[in-house]
Amino acid sequence: MSEAMNPKIVEALKKLSTQEQDLLVRVLKVERDKLYQEKPRVKEDLLKAVREVYK
Amino acid sequence: MILQSLTIENFRQFYGKQTLEFARGADGRNVTLLHGFNGAGKTTLLNAFVWCLYGKTTPDFGSPERIESERAFAEAAVNGRVDVRVALHYNLRGEEFLVERSQTVQKAGESEARRLDQKLKMWKREAGELVAPAGDEFQFQQRINQMLPEGLYPFFFFNGERVEWLAKKEASQEVERGIKIFLDVEIYERSLKHLRRDVAKELSDELRNLGGDELKSALDQEALLKQAEEEAQARKSTIDTNLSSIEDSIVAIEQRQAGIAALAEFARQRDRLKEDQSRCEKDIRSVEESLARSISDDGYLAFGDAALAATAELVVAARERGELPAKLKPQFVTDLLEKRLCICSRTLDPIKDEVEVKHLCDWREKVGLAELEEFVSQTSAGIASLRQRRERCFEELERAQTRRSALFAERTSLQDRLASVLDQMGDEQHGEDAHALKVQLDGLKKKEIEQLADQRRTVDEIGDLQKKLSEIGSKIKSLRVLDVRGALIKTQKEAVEKIADVLEEIFDIQKHDVREYLSGQVAHIWNDAAIKPYTAGVFDDFSLSLTKTVNGAVQPVHGASTGEKQVLALSFVGSLVKRAKENLENKAAAAQMGLQVGGEYPLVMDSPFGSLEDDYRAKVAQWIPRLAHQVVLLVSKTQWRDEVERETRPRVGREYILELHTQKKGADRSIVIAGTEYPYVVETRDPIEQTIIREVN
């Protein structure tokens, strides 16, 4: 079993700066925490993440 | 999720408290086997899992509101209570949990029950002790859903006799959803939707209040375009669903037509003509691709004849003028200069014979003449070759065009013959049903054409809107915001949009890879198990596919048997579990970005070998325990025999008998397991049936 991430995904991620990658990780965490809710309310959490990374 | 044990108390025919321990894969033994006579409680046990986790039961569970043990209820005094409990003990990613759902049933009268609210409790092992984590019932349910979403339990707790629903086209949305959630694709789709629809919009609104007129106008325009695109995407989604439904209806009507005796021969002709049509279309595509290749490779030669002729004439003219071949070679002049000799062999003095030396130098500068000669020589040979290629290209184009014309004529003929057969099928002489079906079919085909036209228009509209959105996005980026706060919000908006774009890219990559993987796995498993030369896979729309090749053309298999659909569905579920397990093993790298977590999922299968033939049963028994991390099989005597036992036995780590106690006379039955006889059905004087779980040692 390969431990590597799909190279195409790595290439896609390289398009993001360190700051943008930081925000992406936060976005995915917010979404994962509420992934199994039918209608999750994530807008405020996502905006908070954006404002914390870019201030 | 690794199941450790299940404790049931007063749940339907399971009176009192009874516990099952599950095999967890030690020494490769990951199968827990439960033998049960019909009515002994196999489906009840499957439902005990579902009820414990979600507080509900499967659709095929009769009288779902009456979950309490009949015996416990009978024994309770009026106004007394019966406590129904199911507790599931499991490990999740190295942590140990216990979940318990209970319901109290109050005996309001001899046969009147009042059911109180369900309660859900959760414990987690910490420092050796099971302690209740912080949170309320809602949060516990959330945690269960994070582990195994409610809507998707049918993939993991199912009745093998009904699993073929997954192989039906109408299940494609459920299949797609299952794939997306279990294989961590859903998160990207949700993230980019929330970023674009909610977050970017919010930031745009803020920016709008801080920007100048031009920026405000551009942001308004962007908002309108986004809304229009969202509406167009929704329209397209509806059209796609409509088309899929129309296609299903057409297939259903065609199958009904084939079932009418008077139309059977016409139906065969129709199917043959459709197969021919499909092959003809494939041939047309192939010829057109060949034509396109010829034109792309050599098409320019069609316009090169004049240039080739003119070049040849120039060469001939140069030869006639004596310019070719060159009379003087550059190396000869260089040698003369090095040896300080004149062309007449006289020794040259660089000072006295300055004029002659200059002449020699001038000649040497004409080295290009020799290169030209070489070039002309190559060109002359090339011209001949190009002319031959030009001729061959014309011949190939002519052949392809002739073949294409013949195929067009064949297509027209097939269309006419098919139309004629279809008309005859609708003739009233074959009965009202035949006529009515033809009318329905015509109506559906008309609708299909309309929907296809709408689909085309909508796709074009979406493309146009996306182009405009890209343009306006670039414009917004280029507009400056003087205010510091405005500049920050603009940066935030741009970052959010960029991340959404990357997420969309990752989503597409993941979705494509996952579909390809599952399609490959399903095909592999199917090939191993299937008797017929069909090909299994997962279509682009995520419906499970079964196709056959007729005259070189790939066609969907209509009317696959229930058993074939069950094998297809089981091969899909097995592939899904395998991939989720691999994702978990692969998480080290991916987890850095919060991507792909995957998981281990057990398979709990009631009557897993459904209506399968022996060959299929053996194969399913062989590969299910290999694909899934943990398997619980609930089987009757007839389902557990010969090939199934032979294949599964080495994997069985825990084994139980659901010993049914019934008042029916002469009901006594026994079951022989590994040479030892055990009670299977026990005759009792007690009027209430119950089941006792006995472990087989």
Side-chain angles (χ1 to χ4, degrees), chain A residues 2-36:
Chain A
S2 161
E3 281 291 311
M5 207 190 293
N6 182 330
K8 286 184 272 184
I9 293 181
V10 174
E11 278 309 304
L13 290 170
K14 276 184 188 166
K15 292 176 191 169
L16 300 177
S17 66
T18 312
Q19 211 173 8
E20 287 160 346
Q21 285 190 14
D22 181 17
L23 178 55
L24 172 64
V25 172
R26 285 171 188 242
V27 166
L28 290 173
K29 181 166 184 333
V30 168
E31 293 287 351
R32 189 171 293 287
D33 286 346
K34 296 190 177 176
L35 185 60
Y36 303 107

Side-chain angles (χ1 to χ4, degrees), chain B residues 169 172-173 176 232-248 448 451-452 454-456 458-459 462 511 540-541:
Chain B
K169 196 162 173 62
S172 64
Q173 282 183 344
E176 180 173 6
Q233 292 283 13
R235 267 204 318 280
K236 183 179 171 294
S237 174
T238 309
I239 293 168
D240 291 346
T241 310
N242 290 346
L243 270 169
S244 173
S245 158
I246 290 170
E247 278 170 30
D248 289 345
E448 187 182 28
Q451 290 289 313
L452 283 168
D454 275 355
Q455 188 188 49
R456 180 80 235 162
T458 312
V459 167
I462 290 170
K511 199 171 148 180
D540 286 345
D541 68 355

Side-chain angles (χ1 to χ4, degrees), chain B residues 442-613:
Chain B
D442 286 347
L444 284 167
K445 288 192 172 162
K446 193 172 164 228
K447 272 189 200 161
E448 187 182 28
I449 292 169
E450 288 166 5
Q451 290 289 313
L452 283 168
D454 275 355
Q455 188 188 49
R456 180 80 235 162
R457 270 195 299 276
T458 312
V459 167
D460 288 349
E461 186 186 336
I462 290 170
D464 189 38
L465 287 165
Q466 284 173 340
K467 191 173 162 222
K468 284 178 181 162
L469 266 168
S470 167
E471 286 164 6
I472 200 76
S474 303
K475 186 177 173 187
I476 291 168
K477 269 186 195 166
S478 70
L479 291 171
R480 293 192 58 181
V481 184
L482 295 175
D483 176 61
V484 177
R485 182 166 149 68
L488 175 62
I489 293 170
K490 191 162 176 270
T491 306
Q492 290 171 343
K493 179 178 178 287
E494 283 168 14
V496 164
E497 283 166 348
K498 192 171 166 193
I499 290 168
D501 288 346
V502 167
L503 275 170
E504 187 170 20
E505 206 176 321
I506 294 174
F507 172 67
D508 288 340
I509 294 167
Q510 285 284 79
K511 199 171 148 180
H512 175 266
D513 285 359
V514 161
R515 198 196 64 77
E516 290 278 301
Y517 171 90
L518 288 176
S519 205
Q521 278 291 320
V522 167
H524 177 72
I525 295 171
W526 170 268
N527 283 343
D528 184 44
I531 309 296
K532 292 187 186 168
Y534 298 158
T535 303
V538 180
F539 281 132
D540 286 345
D541 68 355
F542 282 92
S543 59
L544 300 185
S545 70
L546 209 49
T547 53
K548 59 181 175 180
T549 305
V550 181
N551 296 332
V554 177
Q555 294 177 355
V557 173
H558 297 303
S561 72
T562 304
E564 284 164 348
K565 284 180 188 163
Q566 283 173 358
V567 173
L568 183 60
L570 288 171
S571 65
F572 168 71
V573 170
S575 307
L576 199 62
V577 173
K578 184 172 180 240
R579 175 70 182 220
K581 196 166 77 173
E582 286 175 5
N583 278 0
L584 183 70
E585 290 163 1
N586 203 16
K587 71 176 184 182
Q592 291 164 14
M593 293 304 299
L595 306 172
Q596 275 193 349
V597 171
E600 290 171 316
Y601 299 100
L603 282 180
V604 180
M605 304 159 75
D606 178 13
S607 307
F609 308 104
S611 42
L612 302 179
E613 292 288 346

Side-chain angles (χ1 to χ4, degrees), chain B residues 1-3 6 20 22 30-32 34 41-50 53 58 88 148 153-161 163 570 573 577 601-608 624 628-635:
Chain B
M1 183 193 197
I2 300 167
L3 304 173
L6 180 80
L20 282 165
F22 298 104
N30 61 341
V31 175
T32 302
L34 293 114
K42 297 191 294 295
T43 306
T44 302
L45 265 182
L46 178 84
N47 273 279
F49 283 99
V50 178
L53 293 172
T58 59
L88 185 63
L148 201 63
Y153 78 75
F155 287 97
F156 302 95
F157 301 94
F158 59 84
N159 183 331
E161 288 172 340
V163 73
L570 288 171
V573 170
V577 173
Y601 299 100
L603 282 180
V604 180
M605 304 159 75
D606 178 13
S607 307
I624 284 286
H629 167 81
Q630 196 178 28
V631 180
V632 179
L633 298 178
L634 298 141
V635 294

Side-chain angles (χ1 to χ4, degrees), chain B residues 277-318:
Chain B
Q277 256 190 340
S278 172
R279 191 255 317 139
C280 183
E281 292 295 345
K282 191 182 165 207
D283 289 349
I284 289 173
R285 278 196 300 278
S286 164
V287 168
E288 289 187 333
E289 279 165 17
S290 152
L291 263 171
R293 259 197 316 276
S294 292
I295 291 169
S296 167
D297 292 348
D298 293 329
Y300 66 95
L301 291 170
F303 310 98
D305 198 36
L308 292 173
T311 309
E313 277 171 22
L314 284 173
V315 173
V316 170

Side-chain angles (χ1 to χ4, degrees), chain B residues 326-442:
Chain B
K327 295 178 179 65
L328 198 60
K329 306 291 180 194
Q331 191 55 49
F332 174 66
V333 182
T334 303
D335 289 347
L336 289 176
L337 282 167
E338 281 176 5
K339 290 175 188 168
R340 297 186 178 179
L341 286 173
C342 178
I343 199 162
C344 61
S345 306
R346 181 173 65 86
T347 302
L348 293 174
D349 184 310
I351 297 168
K352 287 185 188 166
D353 300 321
E354 188 183 355
V355 175
E356 287 78 1
V357 169
K358 189 173 180 307
H359 279 154
L360 280 173
C361 287
D362 287 346
W363 279 339
R364 193 170 57 176
E365 291 305 309
K366 292 179 183 172
V367 289
L369 191 61
E371 283 179 350
L372 175 67
E373 188 182 344
E374 178 65 22
F375 183 71
V376 167
S377 166
Q378 285 173 6
T379 305
S380 298
I383 285 171
S385 161
L386 285 172
R387 281 185 154 162
Q388 280 173 3
R389 256 176 79 178
R390 184 172 180 273
E391 289 308 312
R392 273 201 308 273
C393 174
F394 276 129
E395 284 165 15
E396 277 170 23
L397 288 177
E398 198 173 336
R399 263 199 306 274
Q401 276 176 326
T402 307
R403 171 97 178 109
R404 187 170 66 160
S405 299
L407 285 167
F408 280 169
E410 187 188 353
R411 178 165 68 180
T412 307
S413 160
L414 286 167
Q415 280 168 346
D416 291 347
R417 284 161 61 198
L418 183 61
S420 163
V421 170
L422 294 178
D423 279 346
Q424 290 178 68
M425 289 177 89
D427 197 313
E428 286 174 343
Q429 65 165 327
H430 300 307
E432 284 179 17
D433 279 356
H435 181 66
L437 287 176
K438 170 71 168 58
V439 172
Q440 280 182 42
L441 206 52
D442 286 347

